Amino acid sequence: DTGVSQNPRHKITKRGQNVTFRCDPISEHNRLYWYRQTLGQGPEFLTYFQNEAQLEKSRLLSDRFSAERPKGSFSTLEIQRTEQGDSAMYLCASTQGPLGYGYTFGSGTRLTVV
Amino acid sequence: QKEVEQNSGPLSVPEGAIASLNCTYSDRGSQSFFWYRQYSGKSPELIMSIYSNGDKEDGRFTAQLNKASQYVSLLIRDSQPSDSATYLCAVDTGTASKLTFGTGTRLQVTL
């Protein structure tokens, strides 16, 4: 594995459309995280999976957001009825075992809602 | 009070100088501390981790941790123009399942 892979790299969508992002973590990593980062801010936690179980969701994750990690492998993040405020960089990260080893981030998906 | 605070900068240092970046955190239960470097338009890259009070050195980078004062710092010696980036401080409380990030400090290394 060369790292965490995210697709697409860029997505431009019209307000009200649905979008889906994909993250492929490093294969031996059992923890997978989604973060959102807007300009001038640090990454903000959205949700976290350990294997296939979604163990925590941020209050930032409204009902329009849903994430899955079937079979504990890749993960998808879907945003329904996108709003301009959803424009951000969506980052996926993975790690193995204790969180104290830090994350490896993917290259991110930049979403622009017009 | 924000959980992890950093001065947004920009911090401007001349090439070859020492850059000092600081971070304070609010949760006394925090156990692991990380510094990430983020170039414009790119994702964060882990450069240092520190878990115990004191200094930890890795090449030109030194991380310093003082849990009593709840601050962590990053020193970059012999700063190079390629060090120009935003540096994010991240904290793991040990009881949570995620890292909490500061807003980052933008470093500019001038020629």
Side-chain angles (χ1 to χ4, degrees), chain A residues 9 31 33 35 37 40-45 48 55-56 89 91 99-108 110, chain B residues 2 8 32 34 36 38 41-46 49 51 88 92-94 96-104:
Chain A
R9 293 292 304 274
R31 295 189 181 198
Y33 299 80
Y35 277 76
Q37 187 177 24
Q41 301 298 314
E44 296 175 299
F45 171 78
Y48 146 61
L55 297 186
E56 187 173 345
M89 173 81 87
L91 294 162
L99 185 58
Y101 293 113
Y103 295 156
T104 300
F105 279 99
S107 54
R110 181 166 297 283
Chain B
K2 292 183 180 178
S8 62
S32 305
F34 305 89
Y36 284 80
Q38 186 172 29
K42 304 296 185 182
S43 63
E45 171 193 11
L46 179 63
S49 59
Y51 311 104
L88 296 161
D92 164 28
T93 64
S97 55
K98 58 189 180 291
L99 295 182
T100 301
F101 287 81
T103 55

Side-chain angles (χ1 to χ4, degrees), chain A residues 90-103:
Chain A
Y90 289 83
L91 294 162
C92 177
S94 69
T95 189
Q96 172 69 9
L99 185 58
Y101 293 113
Y103 295 156

Side-chain angles (χ1 to χ4, degrees), chain A residues 1 3-6 8 16 19 23 25-26 31 33 35 43 55 63 68 70 72 79-80 82 88 93 102 107 110:
Chain A
D1 283 316
V4 179
S5 176
Q6 290 189 247
V19 294
C23 171
I26 294 172
R31 295 189 181 198
Y33 299 80
Y35 277 76
L55 297 186
D63 291 344
E68 295 182 341
I79 309 174
Q80 297 182 325
T82 52
S107 54
R110 181 166 297 283

Side-chain angles (χ1 to χ4, degrees), chain A residues 3-111:
Chain A
V4 179
S5 176
Q6 290 189 247
N7 287 287
R9 293 292 304 274
H10 303 276
K11 179 71 177 178
I12 300 174
T13 191
K14 292 183 178 180
R15 189 175 52 186
Q17 297 294 305
N18 298 345
V19 294
T20 300
F21 311 140
R22 176 176 170 129
C23 171
D24 288 90
I26 294 172
S27 60
E28 62 268 25
H29 286 185
N30 62 353
R31 295 189 181 198
L32 185 148
Y33 299 80
W34 285 99
Y35 277 76
R36 180 173 67 187
Q37 187 177 24
T38 54
L39 195 63
Q41 301 298 314
E44 296 175 299
F45 171 78
L46 292 179
T47 191
Y48 146 61
F49 291 85
Q50 181 157 320
N51 299 313
E52 66 275 12
Q54 187 174 20
L55 297 186
E56 187 173 345
K57 292 171 60 174
S58 166
R59 291 188 303 273
L60 293 174
L61 216 63
S62 75
D63 291 344
R64 297 184 299 105
F65 288 71
S66 62
E68 295 182 341
R69 192 184 182 196
K71 302 179 182 179
S73 57
F74 71 92
S75 176
T76 58
L77 178 68
E78 181 184 16
I79 309 174
Q80 297 182 325
R81 304 180 304 281
T82 52
E83 302 173 354
Q84 286 189 323
D86 297 331
S87 295
M89 173 81 87
Y90 289 83
L91 294 162
C92 177
S94 69
T95 189
Q96 172 69 9
L99 185 58
Y101 293 113
Y103 295 156
T104 300
F105 279 99
S107 54
T109 294
R110 181 166 297 283
L111 173 66

Side-chain angles (χ1 to χ4, degrees), chain B residues 11-17 19 79-85 107-111:
Chain B
L11 172 66
S12 184
V13 300
E15 184 178 5
S79 295
Q80 302 297 309
S82 59
D83 295 326
S84 298
L107 173 66
Q108 293 178 337
V109 180
T110 58
L111 296 173

